[in-house]
Amino acid sequence: MKKIYFISSIILSISLLSCNQKKAEQSGPAVMPYKVMQIAEANTTLLAEYPTSLEGVTDIDIRAKVDGYIEKIYVQEGQEVKKGQLLFKLETQTATQEAGAAKAKVAAAQVEVNRLIPLVERNIISDVQLETAKANLASAKSTYQSIVARINYATIKSPVNGIVGTLPLRLGSYVSSQTAEPLTRISDVSTIYAYFSMNEKQQLDIMMNAAGKTFQEKIAKMAAVNLILSNGMEYEYKGKIETFSGQANTQTGSFNVRASFPNTDKLLRSGGSGTIQIPTNLTDVILIPQNATLELQDKRIALIVDKGNKVKAVPVEVRAVPGGQYYVVDKGLNVNDKILIEGVGIVTEGTAINPELVDYATIINSKNDKSTK
């Protein structure tokens, strides 16, 4: 009897197990929970970046006006100089000797004029002789003054306040007004100009988002710009866009732009490089996390959850927000859409999920604050 009861228990257990398995197969795979957020509108700032070259207010090539050997160099590379400060002196020995001879001729010509004046007054000689003597005196003076000017030109001074550039030539080098390489370059870097270019679309985007009616008003009211230095650090002072070129370059289709930055501590120098960041403030736009999207066949895809809690893939057009965490969505999503923010790249289209709603403002504000600092 006990044996019969034991066998019956086994059969009953197997039947129950089989029944449960059939129910599980009929009900399908378990619906997994995933986090989603319902889209709302937010504010953010985009930063358009452009490579730039830096130049001072003035960059003046210093060249010799006269021929001669470099006799003295009064400055060092990178030295700060004032307007009128001595930079170079060329050898003037030959010119000085010529000046002495020319001065003697001036004196002789003056003596001759002085001698002839009373003779003319007494009508002993004609005026022609006196006028000839005066012409010789003027010629002698002109020659002398020319030599003196040449000697003065041999002493080269700085035309502006600025920083001395490289000194490619050394003592004893022969220079002239035809020497291809300048003696040095003096850069006035009290203000630094950042030159860069942008294409027509970028120029239109910036100007259409700027306040003001006229082009000049828009430039005047544009937000301050940032300068990222070549070492990756942000320059401590903000800059101001001052000019756009009057027309696009016919070869490249780009506009030339100039921004200025204060440089009171002379940290920036001519010839440097960096990156300009132009901020554009956006209000009432759709922001989504970058990791809530994926790239598929050159398209950016987001996953939304429909009314039946099934995942649906939609293509989106986006712009990156600085910081690498968020996108501004221009097309593809609407306010109140529910977007998947967990399991992206794992969950396939058409999969039913159990959505766990996460507060949109909490996610966006916490990360967007960091990305726009």
Side-chain angles (χ1 to χ4, degrees), residues 230-272:
S230 57
N231 63 356
M233 301 293 290
E234 183 177 340
Y235 186 51
E236 61 178 320
Y237 299 107
K238 300 291 184 181
K240 179 65 178 174
I241 289 181
E242 295 184 341
T243 62
F244 280 81
S245 55
Q247 61 184 23
N249 185 302
T250 55
Q251 302 294 324
T252 63
S254 62
F255 288 85
N256 295 323
V257 189
R258 187 185 78 188
S260 64
F261 290 83
N263 192 32
T264 53
D265 55 3
K266 306 297 191 297
L267 174 66
L268 304 181
R269 300 296 175 93
S270 288

Side-chain angles (χ1 to χ4, degrees), residues 163-180:
I163 305 294
V164 178
T166 59
L167 299 172
L169 303 174
R170 296 293 181 257
L171 291 176
S173 298
Y174 182 80
V175 295
S176 71
S177 59
Q178 303 302 314
T179 302

Side-chain angles (χ1 to χ4, degrees), residues 1-46:
M1 262 323 255
K2 290 182 178 179
K3 189 174 182 180
I4 292 173
Y5 289 146
F6 177 72
I7 293 173
S8 298
S9 299
I10 292 174
I11 292 171
L12 181 60
S13 299
I14 293 172
S15 298
L16 290 172
L17 183 62
S18 176
C19 220
N20 291 335
Q21 187 174 354
K22 286 180 181 179
K23 286 181 180 179
E25 289 173 355
Q26 290 174 358
S27 64
V31 178
M32 298 294 293
Y34 289 99
K35 292 179 180 179
V36 301
M37 67 179 187
Q38 186 169 322
I39 291 175
E41 292 179 331
N43 302 332
T44 191
T45 299
L46 298 183

Side-chain angles (χ1 to χ4, degrees), residues 264-333:
T264 53
D265 55 3
K266 306 297 191 297
L267 174 66
L268 304 181
R269 300 296 175 93
S270 288
S273 61
T275 301
I276 289 290
Q277 292 182 334
I278 302 178
T280 300
N281 297 320
L282 302 179
T283 58
D284 300 331
V285 294
I286 293 175
L287 292 180
I288 61 173
Q290 290 192 12
N291 57 15
T293 68
L294 51 89
E295 192 172 356
L296 183 65
Q297 295 180 349
D298 298 329
K299 291 184 178 180
R300 182 64 54 182
I301 303 296
L303 301 176
I304 63 173
V305 180
D306 63 17
K307 294 180 179 179
N309 291 336
K310 288 187 177 181
V311 174
K312 179 183 177 181
V314 293
V316 292
E317 293 183 11
V318 298
R319 287 176 287 168
V321 175
Q325 299 186 61
Y326 273 83
Y327 286 130
V328 172
V329 181
D330 294 320
K331 289 184 181 179
L333 295 178

Side-chain angles (χ1 to χ4, degrees), residues 113 116 120 125-138:
V113 169
L116 295 178
V120 171
I125 61 173
S126 68
D127 290 344
V128 175
Q129 288 179 286
L130 178 59
E131 292 304 318
T132 301
K134 287 181 178 180
N136 291 336
L137 174 61

Side-chain angles (χ1 to χ4, degrees), residues 206-215 217-222:
I206 289 174
M207 298 310 293
M208 290 176 70
N209 282 293
K213 294 182 179 180
T214 67
F215 198 87
E217 283 181 3
K218 289 177 177 291
I219 293 177
K221 294 182 179 181
M222 286 183 67

